[in-house]
Each structure stands twice: as structure tokens, then as C-alpha cells.
Amino acid sequence: MSALPRELQDLLVREAHLRLGREQLAPILAEKEAELKTVQGNKPAMLLFSAKDKRDAYLARVAEAQETVRLLRTGVEQLDRVEPHLHKLVRDSVEDFLRASCPEYTQALAARQQKEDWRRCLERFAERVYEFLQALGNARNMACTGYARATQSYSQSAVQAFVVAITAAQKVEAEVLFANKIAEAQALLFQQSGFVNAQPLPKLRVVSYAVWVSTIGSRSLNEAQMQFESLITDTKQLYETGIAELFAQAEAADQAQGSVIENFLETAWAQLREEIAPLINPDDTERSVSDSENLIMSLAKQTALGRLADIAPA
């Protein structure tokens, strides 16, 4: 217990009392609401014409049942007001504790941040694919210009267009390799931190685009045109739909990774609740709940909006 920061221990105790308070109030409230309905349902016939003592006795029973329900509902409403705010305070404090004392958790958080680097890389990949498509279209058109069918050789301008397309292809391949390295590095970080169930970022398809373009330049014009058509169709599909699918897969992976990390935090939180369980005295619950409400109100007033509300003119 001494390993827990005092503030976190205090918040966990408060949380436990809130939970205990709801466990105590909820069944009693349901019981008293049922009793109130029963009392109201047993209203004597022709009450206005009943004897005064009988009428007063009935109204007293109703008033007493209503007051009991009102008090219990007030207690539940107090819990409803406090619990969401205290829950956030406890969660933030648990996360601070994990960041400070659990290297695996910190490493998992760092691993998840790799997605932003991967995303920027994919954006660059999209740009390179577009440039490659333009270069391919130009090379296909230039191949027909000055083509010597007798010797099956391409003009100098066509050869230059091939070179430009090959260079563009190499840039695409470089982005593929870099994006995949990021995905692999993230997966390794998750494994090393023990988060083996974390969904990995998608890896880009490895295609030897530069070699493909180079082989086209060694073919006859008819064969080259068919190869150009196949390569352009493949690359265009990648640009128009494949990249969007990769972004969607990365977003899904990021959400899944977030869930795995959140589950780790929730598990640690549950263990911390068990640790402080011996400190919970049911006799302190009412006082603790009231004190927690005061704490929440005090913290709210310390915010910028809270301070503005205090100085606002009437």
C-alpha cells in the first residue's frame, strides 16, 4: 500500500465509498418506491368524505413514504453528480501512476504514437504513387514516338521517359519500405512491452515497380503497351482505392490498440481497488460521499470557467 501515491489512494477510497453508497441506496430506494405505490394504491374510497382521523392517517402515511423516497432520491442524485467527475479524477491518477511505475505501459503508449509517423509516410506514398502514374502515362505515350519497328528500338525521348518512370518507381518503393519498417517497429514495441494482442498497423504491398518498368523497355512496342496497361491499371487502383483502404485499416488498428491499452489500465485499476479494500469502512460512506462532492465543487471553482463564474456580475 505504501507504494501507492497518497492522492491516488485517497481517490480510490472515495470511489469505493461512492460505489458502496450506490449499493446501499439503490435497493432501498426501489423498496421504498414500491411501498409508496402500495400506500397510494390503498387510498380509501371516497377519501374526502372519510372521517378526519382516517383521512389524516392516510395522508400522513403517504407523506412519510414520499419523504423517505425524496431523501433516498436526493442521495442517489448526489452520487449521480459526483461519480462522473470523480471517475475521471481516479482514471487520470491511475494513468499517471502507470506512466511513472510501469515501463510496459509507457512503451505501449509510445508504440501507439508510431501510427502518426506511419500516416505521414502513407501520405508521402500517395504523392509518390500519383507522380509514378503521371510518369507511366508519359512513358507509354512517348514509347510510340519515334519507335523503330525494324530494330524494335525506342527513341531517345522515350528512353528518357522510361528513366523518369523508373526513378518515380524507386521513390514509391522507398516509401513502401519505410512505412513497413514503421509498422514492424511498432509491432516489436508492443511485443516487447507484453501487449502481444495489439493489432499491428497494415503493411504495404511490396512490388518491384522499377524492375517492372525496366522490363517493359526491353519488350516490343505491342508487348510494352500491354505491360503499360497492366501496370497503370494496378497502380491506378492502388491510388484510387488501395490507399484509402490502408488508411481505414490503420484507423481500425489504432482503435484496437487503444482498447488493448485501455483494458490494461482497467485491469490495473481493478487490482488497485482490491488493494485499498481493507481501508473501506461502511460507517464512513455518507461522510466520504459528501466530502467528495465538496471536493468536486472546489476543483470546479479552480478552473478558468469556475473563476469567471465567481466574478461575473449579478
Side-chain angles (χ1 to χ4, degrees):
M1 189 64 62
S2 59
L4 280 181
R6 183 179 297 276
E7 179 183 359
L8 174 55
Q9 180 176 309
D10 175 67
L11 289 172
L12 288 166
V13 170
R14 291 176 184 275
E15 179 196 38
H17 280 298
L18 288 177
R19 187 168 58 252
L20 183 58
R22 188 172 293 279
E23 291 173 357
Q24 293 172 343
L25 287 177
I28 299 175
L29 175 58
E31 177 186 339
K32 295 303 179 182
E33 285 178 333
E35 289 181 6
L36 174 59
K37 288 183 179 180
T38 300
V39 171
Q40 292 173 329
N42 292 332
K43 179 181 177 181
M46 305 292 290
L47 178 64
L48 290 176
F49 301 100
S50 300
K52 184 177 183 304
D53 58 343
K54 184 177 181 180
R55 186 169 64 248
D56 290 346
Y58 170 75
L59 294 176
R61 288 197 302 273
V62 171
E64 181 181 0
Q66 288 176 331
E67 178 62 12
T68 300
V69 169
R70 185 191 68 79
L71 290 173
L72 290 169
R73 284 177 178 169
T74 299
V76 172
E77 289 168 0
Q78 182 185 43
L79 293 173
D80 291 339
R81 288 193 302 271
V82 176
E83 279 180 336
H85 301 286
L86 190 71
H87 182 274
K88 184 179 185 306
L89 290 175
V90 181
R91 188 200 180 284
D92 290 347
S93 189
V94 170
E95 180 164 23
D96 290 342
F97 177 65
L98 289 177
R99 285 173 181 262
S101 62
C102 183
E104 296 83 1
Y105 181 78
T106 305
Q107 189 171 12
L109 291 178
R112 192 182 180 198
Q113 293 304 311
Q114 295 289 318
K115 180 219 172 186
E116 294 306 316
D117 292 333
W118 185 92
R119 183 180 181 86
R120 284 191 293 271
C121 192
L122 193 61
E123 290 171 352
R124 283 168 53 91
F125 174 70
E127 295 172 2
R128 298 292 183 259
V129 170
Y130 178 77
E131 293 168 359
F132 181 45
L133 271 174
Q134 302 304 306
L136 282 175
N138 183 59
R140 179 181 60 183
N141 296 335
M142 293 300 297
C144 300
T145 304
Y147 178 72
R149 293 187 179 275
T151 59
Q152 293 189 349
S153 59
Y154 295 96
S155 66
Q156 186 62 35
S157 58
V159 172
Q160 292 176 350
F162 277 116
V163 172
V164 171
I166 290 171
T167 301
Q170 291 171 338
K171 291 181 179 179
V172 170
E173 293 175 20
E175 295 301 332
V176 169
L177 292 176
F178 192 67
N180 287 347
K181 283 183 179 179
I182 293 175
E184 291 167 1
Q186 186 199 57
L188 181 60
L189 280 174
F190 275 125
Q191 290 176 4
Q192 291 174 342
S193 61
F195 289 73
V196 294
N197 294 325
Q199 182 176 331
L201 287 169
K203 295 184 69 173
L204 279 61
R205 185 181 53 146
V206 177
V207 179
S208 299
Y209 291 109
V211 173
W212 196 343
V213 177
S214 296
T215 59
I216 292 176
S218 64
R219 298 174 182 272
S220 66
L221 181 60
N222 289 338
E223 293 176 335
Q225 290 298 320
M226 288 188 292
Q227 286 295 312
F228 269 124
E229 186 64 29
S230 177
L231 179 53
I232 289 174
T233 298
D234 181 86
T235 308
K236 189 175 182 181
Q237 182 179 9
L238 171 63
Y239 181 74
E240 293 180 348
T241 62
I243 293 174
E245 291 173 359
L246 286 167
F247 274 119
Q249 291 170 16
E251 190 62 31
D254 182 62
Q255 294 297 321
Q257 292 166 8
S259 296
V260 170
I261 294 173
E262 183 66 21
N263 289 340
F264 182 90
L265 185 147
E266 291 287 346
T267 300
W269 194 346
Q271 292 173 353
L272 293 174
R273 289 189 182 114
E274 292 179 3
E275 284 193 35
I276 59 92
L279 301 178
I280 308 306
N281 183 353
D283 293 338
D284 296 333
T285 294
E286 185 175 351
R287 177 200 56 77
S288 177
V289 171
S290 178
D291 187 56
S292 293
E293 183 174 32
N294 292 334
L295 171 67
I296 298 301
M297 293 176 63
S298 175
L299 292 174
K301 288 182 178 180
Q302 293 175 23
T303 64
L305 291 177
R307 289 194 295 270
L308 287 174
D310 285 342
I311 65 175

